[in-house]
Amino acid sequence: MKNPTLHNMKKPRIGSHTIMLMITIVLFIVLYGAGCVMYANKEFGRLQNFLNVLINNAGLLIAACGITCVMLTGGIDISVGSVVAMTCMFMSVGLAEWGMSSGVLIAMILCIGLVFGAVQGYCIAYLEIQPFIVTMAGLFFARGMTAVISKEQVSVPFDSWFGQLSQIKVEMPFQIGAYLNKKGVLMVPYVRITVVVALVMVLITFLMLRYTKFGRSLYAVGGNQQSAALMGLNVKKTKLLSHVLCSFYATLGGLCFCLNTMCGTPTQATGLEMDAISSAVIGGTLLTGGVGNVIGTLFGVMINGTISSLVKFNGKLVASWANIITAILLCFFILLQAIFAKIKERKK
Amino acid sequence: MKNNAVLEMKGICMTFPGVKALDNVDFTLKKGEIRALMGENGAGKSTLIKCLTGVNKFEAGEIYIDGIEGSVVNRDTLDAQKKGISTVYQEINLCPNLSVAENLFIGREPLTKLGTVNRRKMNAQAAQLMKDLELDIDVTRDLEEYSLAMQQMIAIARAVDMECKVLILDEPTSSLDDNEVEKLFGMMRRLKEQGVGIIFVTHFLEQVYAVCDGITVLRNGQLVGEYDIEELPRVKLVAAMMGKDFDDLAAIKQEEIKDFSGEPLEIDAKGLSHAGTIKPFDLEIHKGEVVGLTGLLGSGRSELARVIYGADRNQSGTLKVDGKERRIKNPIDAMGLGMGFLPDDRKAEGIVGDLSVRENIILAMQAKLGPMKKIPMHVQNEIADKYIELLQIKTASRETLIKQLSGGNQQKVILARWLATDPDFLILDEPTRGIDVGTKTEIQKLVVQLAQEGKSLIFISSEIEEMLRVCNKMAVLRDGAKVGEISGNMTQESVLSAIAGGDRNE
Ligand SMILES: Nc1ncnc2c1ncn2[C@@H]1O[C@H](COP(=O)(O)OP(=O)(O)O)[C@@H](O)[C@H]1O
Ligand SMILES: [Mg+2]
């Protein structure tokens, strides 16, 4: 570059990260729009269907927010799917067989999340073991614990306080999108309480990432770990906390997941961590760290959810088609990121 | 502590695995003084600084800082910062993905009442800071959108903005242009007036004389001396950095000065370059001529040779070999044109430890022929025996593994490897490093003999006496640029002055 002081760089210019986010949002709109047109007769376009995508993916969304935070530091956590399963099983068995109260169980589970994350984070940050290895151990441990608690499927009793939560409908205000069903009854679109929790978590995480010292240090560590240390940040502590946060989010996501399925099974939520990671990547989070935010992740989750929903509406396709489409999208986004990175290098 | 000293380091020792990076080094900095820390690449400048800032843990020694009782050991950079030591490291240590403002303030952001980061205030303060330094920067942009030079200025701004007694600048100017360097110097002089002590590491000699009050010279991890700027003119500084006692330099006359201008050109390079290491250069080498490449360690001597040889891809200009224009894309091309290259790092690039002496000698020859044409064993044996005899390689037999040989003999084997390919043009990078005096003389003799046979050579060595003995001409390098040539009646003094640059009588 020539003398940059001579450049007047005051004009607002859109950074590549913003462009990535826009592409993600546009893609979501296109996908959803395509669904509305293709399945107009099946009423894909109904607001309730859109809200169902949120309802079905509330747990995933929370877990994906947690994973985004870890990925921002340049780390990874592949244990979240198993942690979600363990949470569901613990909750179900705790209520149905051990006769524990919902409140105590929820508190216990969230504490387990914190401890689980702290152990993983300690191994990664202080013992400097590869995050992939550590969280793979976490994955097997949590999945194993799930089966140890019960080998059979256990349902959440509806009469418990927790079970009651699953019944709550949060209706859209002002009857937005309301319609009359075949029997002529007015149907007001609604979401479940899990969606409210998930969206609140997205908001909290967004603010945390943008406005707190901890949030900013996640970006700094991901941007350049050595620099972050030389600038006086505590890199190890930041990494440890990112894992604590991720596992905590996984247990909270697990509770929401449980409210959706109302049961615990040993094979539940298998591969959920991959859905979470792919959502984050589609939402613009770099695997190398330092770039991304949870708004992108929100849209990533919605895109994944929409794809599943589209496949379901088609009725003829096997569910695995959803995986294939996700794979194509992932490739597309990773390619896009690589191209942006190359362009940036050229400009130097 | 001496009076008006702001920092004193005494007897600092520090070892990296296999390297004694610092050996009993003292360093003193006065209040309001700008002191240059000089030395060739690898002398230990960065290591000394990192010991001070707590990045490296030193084994022995003491550090005293003005206003702090007793000797201090900084745990980490943050700790050093709190004690008033602010640092700009050689490698830019900022986060490219954060905004300029965040890079300036991370770790010490202004907060709101809620304890969250007050981004507006942070941006305003950052903008003000940039304005004070006359930098036209939008502080809300990501750092990576700015040039390296600008990033360097931002790193400096960050260090300057923190209350400090000692400011350390480790080669901050390598990516700055003249304008920016002036700005930096202005900033340094202002801080100096406020009583801040500044440690300035640079490899630009003219910058040392432009701003510094004193010079501390290191060499191979040892303190050479602490000087005032007046007592150490340029040439003496270079001599100190290279480990020569300038006053004792007896000018060694060359026996006869041969004129090569009539001989045909073996190598005729015009404007060759390699991004990031070597700026475009011209170089002519006649048949039978030995051209030396000289300059401080790290000035780009080996890199220049690598460009000619195609080990680093040439990115501009033309290269004529034996009168014909050639494109050399890789070392195989170069070998095909009759070139040979003896690298300076023989452990990494030269010897194949688990092969025998014979196999090591045959290696380049075989590579030149291609893998399909195997050289018959009796020919291999003949060649190996010939060079073992010729170079007096001390080995039990030609089948002994090369890793069992002493360093000097390994060096001879690699030399033999290239001689076996019968090159017209040979590059020798530090061929005598780490070799005993007797062998050294032999290799020097061999070089002269090869030249007499009509071969052309590039000879690279840190020992100027040796260069004077074998070279007909020398190309002088500074910071990756060829800055001149000397030939004719060369003496140690003339070579050192050429390396130092500037006015000889300064
Ligand atoms: N992290 C490290 N590990 C091993 N050796 C190192 C390391 N850093 C520096 N060294 C060695 O220490 C010596 C001094 O290096 P350095 O202080 O970087 O030199 P300078 O800054 O003067 O060029 C060199 O021999 C270098 O190879
Ligand atoms: Mg250095």
Side-chain angles (χ1 to χ4, degrees), chain B residues 117-163:
Chain B
V117 176
N118 190 339
R119 292 181 82 98
R120 190 178 303 160
K121 195 167 166 199
M122 181 173 78
N123 288 341
Q125 286 182 3
Q128 187 58 43
L129 183 60
M130 290 294 103
K131 217 169 131 200
D132 290 347
L133 300 175
E134 296 165 13
L135 298 175
D136 180 21
I137 281 184
D138 178 355
V139 294
T140 59
R141 286 275 170 82
D142 284 355
L143 182 81
E144 64 189 347
E145 294 184 30
Y146 291 98
S147 66
L148 271 183
M150 205 50 127
Q151 295 186 18
Q152 186 66 273
M153 292 301 275
I154 293 164
I156 294 166
R158 178 184 163 92
V160 169
D161 188 49
M162 286 182 268
E163 287 282 301

Side-chain angles (χ1 to χ4, degrees), chain B residues 8-53:
Chain B
E8 219 174 320
M9 300 172 79
K10 276 190 192 146
I12 305 289
C13 295
M14 150 103 211
T15 327
F16 285 114
V19 196
K20 183 109 195 169
L22 293 175
D23 186 7
N24 210 10
V25 174
D26 300 337
F27 186 89
T28 313
L29 183 70
K30 292 201 243 2
K31 267 182 206 142
E33 178 189 44
I34 304 180
R35 179 161 279 274
L37 181 58
M38 303 294 291
E40 295 187 295
N41 276 4
K45 306 177 297 280
S46 298
T47 307
L48 183 68
I49 284 164
K50 286 182 179 166
C51 284
L52 175 58
T53 57

Side-chain angles (χ1 to χ4, degrees), chain A residues 38-335:
Chain A
M38 277 183 340
Y39 305 118
N41 54 344
K42 294 183 193 168
E43 281 150 357
F44 187 89
R46 244 183 212 159
L47 182 60
Q48 186 59 55
N49 182 51
F50 176 83
L51 297 179
N52 283 345
V53 173
L54 275 173
I55 292 172
N56 290 333
N57 293 291
L60 172 64
L61 179 55
I62 298 176
C65 286
I67 256 190
T68 304
C69 294
V70 169
M71 285 170 72
L72 280 177
T73 67
I76 195 84
D77 184 344
I78 58 170
S79 70
V80 295
S82 304
V83 172
V84 165
M86 183 169 73
T87 303
C88 291
M89 187 61 94
F90 201 87
M91 198 72 214
S92 310
V93 173
L95 288 172
E97 293 176 11
W98 301 338
M100 294 169 74
S101 78
S102 303
V104 172
L105 269 172
I106 291 175
M108 271 176 72
I109 285 171
L110 293 179
C111 286
I112 290 174
L114 291 174
V115 173
F116 197 88
V119 173
Q120 288 192 349
Y122 183 81
C123 293
I124 291 164
Y126 289 87
L127 306 182
E128 294 175 7
I129 309 173
Q130 286 289 323
F132 186 84
I133 302 294
V134 172
T135 58
M136 186 161 68
L139 180 154
F140 288 131
F141 178 80
R143 185 62 69 183
M145 279 310 284
T146 311
V148 165
I149 298 171
S150 167
K151 285 207 232 8
E152 312 287 322
Q153 174 167 336
V154 179
S155 296
V156 174
F158 275 97
D159 52 6
S160 65
W161 174 73
F162 184 74
Q164 287 298 309
L165 281 180
S166 73
Q167 299 303 306
I168 299 172
K169 283 185 182 178
V170 182
E171 295 193 341
M172 292 304 282
F174 313 118
Q175 305 193 339
I176 295 169
Y179 62 96
L180 294 173
N181 73 357
K182 282 177 198 133
K183 289 181 198 140
V185 183
L186 184 75
M187 305 295 282
V188 182
Y190 64 91
V191 292
R192 296 291 179 192
I193 194 126
T194 53
V195 175
V196 179
V197 174
L199 292 179
V200 167
M201 290 313 287
V202 170
L203 183 68
I204 290 177
T205 316
F206 176 78
L207 294 175
M208 187 271 297
L209 286 179
R210 198 169 158 74
Y211 291 105
T212 66
K213 283 190 154 210
F214 170 66
R216 298 321 292 171
S217 54
L218 289 177
Y219 283 91
V221 168
N224 188 334
Q225 192 172 319
Q226 202 193 353
S227 300
L230 289 174
M231 290 198 288
L233 298 180
N234 192 334
V235 173
K236 289 181 176 168
K237 195 170 126 200
T238 306
K239 280 189 173 176
L240 171 81
L241 287 178
S242 76
H243 281 278
V244 171
L245 186 132
C246 181
S247 294
F248 176 76
Y249 274 39
T251 46
L252 187 62
L255 291 174
C256 290
F257 196 90
C258 190
L259 280 176
N260 199 33
T261 60
M262 288 304 277
C263 69
T265 55
T267 54
Q268 209 166 25
T270 313
L272 181 124
E273 63 278 354
M274 294 304 157
D275 291 337
I277 294 169
S278 68
S279 300
V281 171
I282 290 174
T285 307
L286 288 188
L287 279 164
T288 46
V291 175
N293 70 53
V294 286
I295 302 299
T297 305
L298 170 63
F299 279 96
V301 169
M302 288 308 286
I303 286 175
N304 268 332
T306 305
I307 293 170
S308 306
S309 177
L310 281 172
V311 170
K312 241 179 264 159
F313 264 77
N314 180 289
K316 276 175 287 206
L317 291 174
V318 200
S320 312
W321 275 101
N323 292 347
I324 293 173
I325 300 173
T326 309
I328 293 170
L329 280 183
L330 260 182
C331 290
F332 172 70
F333 274 91
I334 289 172
L335 209 72

Side-chain angles (χ1 to χ4, degrees), chain B residues 423-440:
Chain B
D424 300 318
F425 172 58
L426 190 57
I427 299 168
L428 303 176
D429 194 355
E430 299 281 2
T432 62
R433 184 194 289 165
I435 285 182
D436 63 85
V437 184
T439 319
K440 251 183 196 171

Side-chain angles (χ1 to χ4, degrees), chain B residues 261-441:
Chain B
S261 53
E263 301 288 325
L265 282 175
E266 173 66 30
I267 295 289
D268 183 7
K270 293 253 182 306
L272 298 195
S273 70
H274 182 74
T277 56
I278 293 293
K279 303 191 185 93
F281 67 92
D282 297 346
L283 187 66
E284 291 181 352
I285 305 174
H286 297 88
K287 282 195 195 306
E289 188 175 33
V290 182
V291 175
L293 298 185
T294 187
L296 293 172
L297 267 182
S299 59
R301 301 178 308 202
S302 308
E303 288 78 6
L304 190 149
R306 288 172 63 86
V307 172
I308 296 181
Y309 190 63
D312 289 333
R313 185 110 178 238
N314 165 43
Q315 285 158 341
S316 63
T318 57
L319 175 66
K320 281 188 191 162
V321 181
D322 205 6
K324 286 191 212 59
E325 189 167 329
R326 303 283 190 181
R327 298 202 117 259
I328 297 181
K329 291 200 222 62
N330 52 44
I332 302 284
D333 289 355
M335 279 164 66
L337 293 171
M339 295 190 183
F341 182 40
L342 178 77
D344 66 336
D345 185 356
R346 51 180 182 258
K347 280 268 151 46
E349 300 184 46
I351 69 163
V352 186
D354 284 320
L355 293 184
S356 70
V357 171
R358 170 183 55 80
E359 286 165 316
N360 266 289
I361 292 178
I362 296 299
L363 208 62
M365 221 176 150
Q366 186 70 65
K368 195 173 166 184
L369 285 175
M372 302 320 276
K373 288 177 227 149
K374 196 168 182 310
I375 303 166
M377 189 51 91
H378 70 272
V379 179
Q380 290 194 20
N381 288 343
E382 257 171 50
I383 293 171
D385 287 341
K386 175 178 152 198
Y387 284 103
I388 289 172
E389 160 99 32
L390 185 73
L391 300 177
Q392 296 176 355
I393 300 171
K394 291 188 186 59
T395 169
S397 81
R398 60 174 179 251
E399 299 305 329
T400 309
L401 296 189
I402 191 169
K403 63 181 176 193
Q404 293 165 358
L405 270 56
S406 69
N409 284 301
Q410 289 181 357
Q411 184 73 335
K412 286 189 196 169
V413 171
I414 299 169
L415 191 55
R417 174 192 298 172
W418 291 110
L419 295 180
T421 64
D422 191 25
D424 300 318
F425 172 58
L426 190 57
I427 299 168
L428 303 176
D429 194 355
E430 299 281 2
T432 62
R433 184 194 289 165
I435 285 182
D436 63 85
V437 184
T439 319
K440 251 183 196 171
T441 325

